[in-house]
């Protein structure tokens, strides 16, 4: 990944393009999705561009756990604490940015899009 063109998320992390940043740590950044699919739709993104998807991120369980923890913190801060955490993995599953990110979806109409 790092040898490829920087992802849109790397450009956001590097402040080359703007985003609505809701949280940031040394390892992670969280932004509002530009095309929200729920009342609350955030993306929690590891700053490292070394992981294409959540399967690769699972090689670093501590970092994966930080993503989950930040998702929970943000769902409590911006919604009622209940949320759906989605990692699209592979183009056929809807992944369009190959720099791992978690979708944090919350809000009263979420059950209308129930997947299972
Ligand atoms: P994926 O389809 O890879 O699971 O998710 C990528 C997400 O990134 C999409 O929900 C899309 O709306 C969001 N996205 C793409 N480009 C931008 C951008 O420039 N800014 C923000 N805030 N979100 C973006």
């Amino acid at each position: 990944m790092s040898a490829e063109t920087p992802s849109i998320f790397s450009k956001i992390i590097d402040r080359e393009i703007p985003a609505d940043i809701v949280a940031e740590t040394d390892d992670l950044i969280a932004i509002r999705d530009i095309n929200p699919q729920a009342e609350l739709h955030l993306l929690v993104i590891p700053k490292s561009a070394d992981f294409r998807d959540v399967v690769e991120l699972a090689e670093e369980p501590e970092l994966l756990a930080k993503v989950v923890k930040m998702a929970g913190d943000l769902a409590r801060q911006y919604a009622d604490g209940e949320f759906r955490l989605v990692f699209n993995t592979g183009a056929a599953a809807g992944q369009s940015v190959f720099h791992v990110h978690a979708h944090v979806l919350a809000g009263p109409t979420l059950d209308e899009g129930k997947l299972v």
Side-chain angles (χ1 to χ4, degrees):
M1 179 78 207
S2 47
E4 298 170 16
T5 307
S7 73
I8 191 87
F9 297 150
S10 289
K11 291 179 182 171
I12 287 171
I13 291 159
D14 292 341
R15 305 306 200 267
E16 290 173 16
I17 65 168
D20 187 348
I21 298 168
V22 295
E24 186 167 20
T25 64
D26 287 348
D27 304 313
L28 305 176
I29 194 166
I31 63 175
R32 288 188 189 274
D33 196 291
I34 204 167
N35 182 25
Q37 304 298 309
E39 281 80 356
L40 182 70
H41 187 171
L42 305 177
L43 302 171
V44 178
I45 309 165
K47 289 183 174 176
S48 169
D50 290 343
F51 310 100
R52 285 172 61 83
D53 58 38
V54 69
V55 176
E56 290 194 2
L57 184 59
E59 300 295 326
E60 294 283 349
E62 287 182 13
L63 185 55
L64 175 56
K66 287 180 183 179
V67 171
V68 176
K69 183 172 186 319
M70 181 177 277
D73 290 345
L74 291 170
R76 273 193 302 281
Q77 185 177 347
Y78 289 98
D80 64 2
E82 300 190 344
F83 62 102
R84 183 173 296 154
L85 191 63
V86 174
F87 291 92
N88 294 325
T89 305
Q95 187 174 6
S96 59
V97 181
F98 293 87
H99 175 148
V100 66
H101 53 283
H103 296 259
V104 181
L105 301 152
T109 63
L110 199 55
D111 56 347
E112 291 171 10
K114 204 163 171 155
L115 299 177
V116 290

